[in-house]
Amino acid sequence: MSIKVEVKNLTKIFGKHVGRAKELIKQGKSKPEILKETGATVGVDQANFEIEDGEIFVIMGLSGSGKSTLVRMINRLIEPTDGEVLIDGENLMKMDKKKLRDVRRKKMSMVFQNFGLLPNRTIIENAEYGLEIQGVEKEERRKRAKTALEQVGITGYDDEYPDQLSGGMQQRVGLARALANDPQILLMDEAFSALDPLNRTDMQDQLLDIQESLKKTIIFISHDLNEALKLGDHIMIMRDGEVIQTGTPEDILTHPANDYVEEFIENVDRSKVLTAGNVMIRPVTINVDKAGPRLTLKRMKNNEVSTAYVVDNKRKLIGIVDANDVIGLVRHDSSDLRSVVKEDVPTTNEETPISELMDDISQTGIPFAVTNDKGQLKGIIVRGAVLGALAGNEVSEFE
Amino acid sequence: MNSIPQLPLASWIDSFVDWLVQFTGFFNAITNFIGGINNAFQWVFDIIPIWLFIILILGLTFYVNRKDQRWSLLIFEFLGLLLIWNLDFWRDMTQTLTLVLTSSLIALVIGIPLGILMAKSHIAEVILKPILDFMQTMPAFVYLIPAVALFGIGMVPGIVASVIFAMPPTVRMTNMGIREVPAELIEAADSYGSTEWQKLFKVELPIAKTSLMAGVNQSMMLSLSMVVIASMIGAMGLGTKVYFAVGRNDAGGGFAAGLAIVILAIILDRLTQSLTRDHKG
C-alpha cells in the first residue's frame, strides 16, 4: 500500500502570541502551561500520521479534542500554524491559492456534519456544485451529478429542495456532491453524527459498500468509537489536541495505549468487534502421532482437565478425548488413542465475531475449537473467557 | 463656559460646501446623470395610458405572488389606483414614483456593493458603521441645504437627499445577510474550490437574498418618506401637493394627497415584500 496522505508535526494554535506558543510547544510544554504563559490555545499539538491509499482512516475524539480542526487543516480550510501535509508527496502548505483551489476541486471533497447543502438550490444543483465551479458543461455535469446521486441511492428527487428531504437523504446528497467530483480523498467531518441511529447504521453500511467499489481514501471524523471500529481500517484517537493512539481497531481494543483509551473502549459493544481470535485461550493439546494413552493421561492430570484436544504432527485438529476413555485404554493396555477421539467438535475460525458464537457457547457449554483455514488448531474458546472479554477484562493471550 | 470660544463648526461646514461648489463640472455631470435616469422613468410613465398602467401593476402583483395568490391585495391596488386617478393625482403620483424608483435604484447600486465590502472587511465595517448611523439620524431636512448648493433645485437634489437618507438599510441588511450565511456553507463553498467571486454569487448573495431584499424594501419606504421634504426644494409630485396644502391651511387637500402617498407606499411595500418571499430562498 502506498501512502496517500502524510501529516508531519501539524499544529494549530489559536489566539495571540502564536509565535511564542509555537516555541513552547516545541519545548514540550503542556497545553495549560502554554495557555497560562501566552494566552494562546493549542488546537492541535504536533500531529503525525500517515494514511494509506484506499483506506478509511478514522480520527476519533470527544468535542474539543481538535479532530475537526485537524481535518480542516488537511484541506487548509484552517491554516495550520506549523507542520506539513503531504498529498501524494506534494506539500499542501507550499501551494499558492490557485494550486490549492485545484487540489480542492480535483483531489479532495468534504462532507459536513450538518450536510452543508445550499438551501436555494435543488438536489441536482447541489450535487453538481463542485463541477459547476470547475466550469464543466451543464449537460456533462448533470450526467455526472445524476450518477453520483444514483450511487448513494437518491433518485427522483432532482428538483426538490434540501429542506424537503429527511436528514439521512440530505446527507446522501452531501455525499453525492462529494462523489460527483470523483475525488481521490474524501474528508468526512462527523458526517453521520446528526443522523438518527437507524439512518446512521444505514449510511455506514452504504459508505462501506461505496468504498468497496470506488476505493477512495476516506478520512472520517467521529466521536463514536463504535462507528470508528466499524468503519476504520486505522483509528487515531485524539484528546486535547494530542494524538493518543493510532492503530487498527483490534490494536486499540486489545492494547489501549493508556487509561483514557481504556475508558473509551469500555463503552463499546465488544461482542460486535471482538473476534474468536481475540478471546481464544491455549488448550491442552495431545499430539496423537507422538503420545500414547499414558502420556495423555499424565498431561491431563498435570493440567487438571478432563478433556484434551488432539492434533496430529502438523497441529491439525482431530478431535477431543475424554479422561475416562483414556483411562479405559490404559486399563485394556491399548495404545490406539485414535479409537477414543471424538471428532464431533464445534469449530470456528479466528475471524468470526464472538457475537455470532455467543448463543451456542452459552447454551452448550462446550468449548469451541478455533482453527485456521488449514484446519490447524489455534486455540479454544471457553465461556469464561468470552464473558471476561465482554466485561472488559484483560483478554488471555494465545501464543 | 463663556471663557471657551465657540467652535466655528457651522462656518467650517460652510467653507467645505463652498469649496465643493467649485467642482461645478463634476456636480453638473452627476446632475445630468441622475436627471437622465429620472427623466427616463418619467418618460415611460407618461406614455403608458393610465388604464394600461393599472393593468401592469395588477399583473406584476399577480406574477410575484403566483405561488400564494393574495386577492385582497389585488382588489386594494385596483381601487386605490382608481382613486388616485379619480382625484386627479395621477401625474403627481408618477412623479413621486419616479423619485422613489430613481433614488432606490441609486441606493441599491451603491448600497449593495458597500454592504458586501462591509461584510468582507473588518476595517470597512468599522469605518462605515458610524457613517451609516450619521446618515440615518441626521434630520433629513439638513441634506437639502448643501444639495441645493451643489445640484440646484428640482428633482435631482431631492433624489440625492433621498439616496443619502434611504441607503443605510440596504448597506446594513446586505452586510448582515452575508455575515449570517452559515459557516458550514462557506466552508462547503471553499472546500470545493470556489473562487471568491463564485462564493459571493453562488452562495453568499443567494442566501443573503431575503435579508438583502428586506433592506431594499426599507430603503424604498424611507425614500418615499422623503417626498414631502424633497418637495420643499422643488421636487415635483404628491409631496408638492401636501406641501402646498400646508401653506394654504388646506386640510382636505393635504389629506387627499397624503392618502395617495399611503396607497403608493402600500403597493410598493407589498410588491417588494413579495419579491423577498418569491419562491425558494
Side-chain angles (χ1 to χ4, degrees):
Chain A
M1 279 285 180
S2 61
I3 300 300
K4 188 80 188 169
V5 181
E6 198 177 351
V7 168
K8 290 181 187 165
N9 278 321
L10 202 59
T11 301
K12 180 68 193 179
I13 299 166
F14 296 104
K16 291 173 181 170
H17 309 296
V18 168
R20 175 89 188 107
K22 207 160 94 180
E23 277 168 40
L24 291 177
I25 228 178
K26 280 187 175 153
Q27 289 164 23
K29 297 256 178 160
S30 75
K31 223 173 137 171
E33 278 175 316
I34 294 170
L35 181 65
K36 202 174 160 196
E37 228 172 290
T38 64
T41 310
V42 180
V44 174
D45 182 1
Q46 304 174 86
N48 282 290
F49 55 95
E50 288 174 352
I51 299 171
E52 285 168 11
D53 196 6
E55 75 163 329
I56 300 184
F57 188 90
V58 181
I59 302 175
M60 214 210 65
L62 301 178
S63 54
S65 61
K67 57 191 191 302
S68 287
T69 307
L70 183 56
V71 76
R72 278 168 176 71
M73 288 197 285
I74 293 175
N75 64 359
R76 277 178 67 185
L77 279 182
I78 292 178
E79 207 60 47
T81 309
D82 200 14
E84 288 178 0
V85 175
L86 305 175
I87 291 173
D88 293 325
E90 238 187 318
N91 191 346
L92 206 68
M93 296 309 133
K94 295 222 168 87
M95 290 180 185
D96 58 13
K97 270 192 176 173
K98 197 174 163 301
K99 190 85 209 304
L100 175 66
R101 205 155 56 218
D102 230 42
V103 169
R104 285 174 175 177
R105 285 179 175 185
K106 303 272 165 65
K107 271 198 175 164
M108 287 195 273
S109 290
M110 193 156 176
V111 181
F112 295 87
Q113 180 169 12
N114 297 306
F115 326 134
L117 298 179
L118 301 171
N120 56 313
R121 286 171 162 247
T122 60
I123 297 309
I124 188 89
E125 284 168 353
N126 264 293
E128 70 182 4
Y129 181 81
L131 298 167
E132 185 184 322
I133 59 174
Q134 291 176 32
V136 176
E137 289 292 324
K138 185 160 182 174
E139 208 171 305
E140 165 77 9
R141 70 182 193 234
R142 278 279 141 110
K143 212 177 80 195
R144 283 164 67 181
K146 260 196 158 67
T147 313
L149 283 170
E150 277 163 24
Q151 269 170 349
V152 300
I154 299 278
T155 47
Y157 293 92
D158 288 3
D159 301 320
E160 308 275 311
Y161 287 89
D163 62 4
Q164 291 167 289
L165 268 58
S166 70
M169 287 170 82
Q170 287 189 45
Q171 192 55 299
R172 285 187 170 85
V173 177
L175 187 55
R177 174 173 66 180
L179 292 174
N181 276 8
D182 195 23
Q184 297 158 14
I185 302 168
L186 279 179
L187 305 174
M188 305 187 70
D189 180 26
E190 300 247 16
F192 303 153
S193 300
L195 307 179
D196 61 75
L198 221 65
N199 252 313
R200 197 181 311 155
T201 314
D202 254 22
M203 286 292 282
Q204 289 164 352
D205 293 339
Q206 197 160 25
L207 183 69
L208 289 171
D209 284 350
I210 288 171
Q211 173 66 355
E212 187 87 3
S213 54
L214 300 180
K215 298 278 179 237
K216 307 284 182 198
T217 303
I218 300 177
I219 304 175
F220 195 102
I221 308 295
S222 180
H223 64 257
D224 175 1
L225 188 60
N226 275 317
E227 185 171 68
L229 293 167
K230 178 173 179 180
L231 297 176
D233 293 308
H234 284 97
I235 297 172
M236 184 169 96
I237 296 181
M238 291 186 73
R239 181 200 192 183
D240 289 344
E242 272 177 70
V243 175
I244 304 278
Q245 186 175 9
T246 311
T248 62
E250 213 174 286
D251 281 345
I252 305 261
L253 275 180
T254 50
H255 304 285
N258 59 18
D259 292 351
Y260 180 76
V261 179
E262 205 159 335
E263 210 172 296
F264 237 125
I265 61 182
E266 266 175 17
N267 299 320
V268 173
D269 181 359
R270 285 162 170 259
S271 68
K272 280 189 193 143
V273 289
L274 286 180
T275 60
N278 294 130
V279 296
M280 63 191 181
I281 57 169
R282 183 214 284 257
V284 175
T285 55
I286 308 295
N287 184 339
V288 74
D289 292 331
K290 285 181 184 160
R294 281 173 199 281
L295 186 59
T296 305
L297 207 54
K298 194 174 172 220
R299 285 204 64 177
M300 288 167 87
K301 266 184 187 157
N302 288 346
N303 289 290
E304 296 177 329
V305 293
S306 58
T307 53
Y309 284 77
V310 180
V311 295
D312 64 12
N313 256 338
K314 290 174 180 157
R315 279 196 77 79
K316 194 164 170 324
L317 177 68
I318 294 174
I320 52 173
V321 288
D322 195 275
N324 287 331
D325 295 339
V326 182
I327 292 170
L329 281 181
V330 174
R331 287 209 179 122
H332 292 96
D333 221 11
S334 165
S335 62
D336 187 8
L337 193 58
R338 279 181 191 264
S339 65
V340 295
V341 171
K342 293 174 187 152
E343 291 180 6
D344 183 21
V345 182
T347 56
T348 183
N349 63 39
E350 285 176 277
E351 313 301 330
T352 314
I354 54 173
S355 58
E356 287 178 21
L357 305 174
M358 289 270 281
D359 278 354
D360 290 335
I361 292 176
S362 56
Q363 275 166 22
T364 63
I366 301 170
F368 267 71
V370 182
T371 57
N372 63 12
D373 46 11
K374 288 178 189 150
Q376 290 169 319
L377 180 66
K378 304 299 283 185
I380 61 167
I381 302 175
V382 296
R383 192 153 50 165
V386 172
L387 296 178
L390 290 177
N393 295 341
E394 192 60 36
V395 175
S396 316
E397 285 202 39
F398 178 75
E399 292 143 82
Chain B
M1 275 306 284
N2 285 341
S3 62
I4 303 170
Q6 193 182 27
L7 273 180
L9 187 61
S11 62
W12 287 346
I13 292 167
D14 281 342
S15 25
F16 178 64
V17 173
D18 287 343
W19 176 77
L20 279 180
V21 170
Q22 59 178 315
F23 302 104
T24 327
F26 175 69
F27 288 105
N28 279 346
I30 294 183
T31 308
N32 290 336
F33 180 70
I34 296 174
I37 301 173
N38 186 67
N39 292 341
F41 274 122
Q42 191 64 56
W43 180 76
V44 171
F45 293 150
D46 281 347
I47 57 166
I48 300 175
I50 297 178
W51 57 268
L52 180 60
F53 198 99
I54 295 178
I55 291 174
L56 287 176
I57 296 276
L58 293 179
L60 183 64
T61 310
F62 189 85
Y63 177 75
V64 297
N65 286 311
R66 64 194 174 285
K67 293 261 167 73
D68 176 22
Q69 208 46 260
R70 301 159 80 192
W71 300 103
S72 56
L73 178 60
L74 286 169
I75 294 165
F76 171 85
E77 287 182 348
F78 182 64
L79 295 177
L81 290 169
L82 281 186
L83 179 68
I84 291 175
W85 191 6
N86 174 266
L87 294 174
D88 206 14
F89 283 145
W90 193 264
R91 182 92 215 289
D92 304 292
M93 188 277 285
T94 59
Q95 282 174 331
T96 297
L97 183 60
T98 298
L99 183 136
V100 170
L101 289 182
T102 310
S103 49
S104 305
L105 186 72
I106 296 171
L108 290 196
V109 169
I110 302 173
I112 291 176
L114 275 182
I116 293 170
L117 181 71
M118 224 171 138
K120 296 278 173 183
S121 151
H122 178 67
I123 297 172
E125 192 183 30
V126 169
I127 296 172
L128 282 172
K129 247 191 179 152
I131 297 178
L132 292 177
D133 291 338
F134 181 91
M135 283 162 71
Q136 226 175 350
T137 45
M138 175 65 76
F141 278 97
V142 179
Y143 297 129
L144 298 180
I145 311 161
V148 170
L150 300 172
F151 302 100
I153 56 168
M155 277 301 213
V156 175
I159 290 170
V160 171
S162 299
V163 168
I164 296 172
F165 187 64
M167 195 170 61
T170 296
V171 182
R172 277 187 221 280
M173 298 296 269
T174 306
N175 174 33
M176 196 186 83
I178 291 180
R179 280 178 189 270
E180 282 179 354
V181 175
E184 206 174 60
L185 296 185
I186 301 293
E187 282 189 333
D190 283 335
S191 71
Y192 282 89
S194 313
T195 62
E196 285 298 315
W197 289 111
Q198 284 173 331
K199 188 165 71 178
L200 182 66
F201 285 108
K202 290 178 191 290
V203 178
E204 290 172 320
L205 285 180
I207 289 172
K209 193 182 127 193
T210 311
S211 163
L212 202 146
M213 288 306 297
V216 171
N217 173 280
Q218 282 185 28
S219 285
M220 211 173 233
M221 292 301 109
L222 282 181
S223 69
L224 194 61
S225 75
M226 279 291 287
V227 295
V228 176
I229 296 167
S231 71
M232 293 165 65
I233 49 169
M236 303 301 287
L238 292 169
T240 323
K241 297 283 177 208
V242 176
Y243 183 51
F244 286 176
V246 172
R248 291 194 214 108
N249 198 14
D250 171 11
F255 267 99
L259 189 63
I261 293 180
V262 170
I263 292 169
L264 182 63
I266 291 175
I267 294 175
L268 287 175
D269 179 57
R270 296 300 185 269
L271 271 177
T272 47
Q273 271 187 25
S274 309
L275 283 177
T276 312
R277 284 181 286 111
D278 178 31
H279 55 92
K280 293 295 298 187

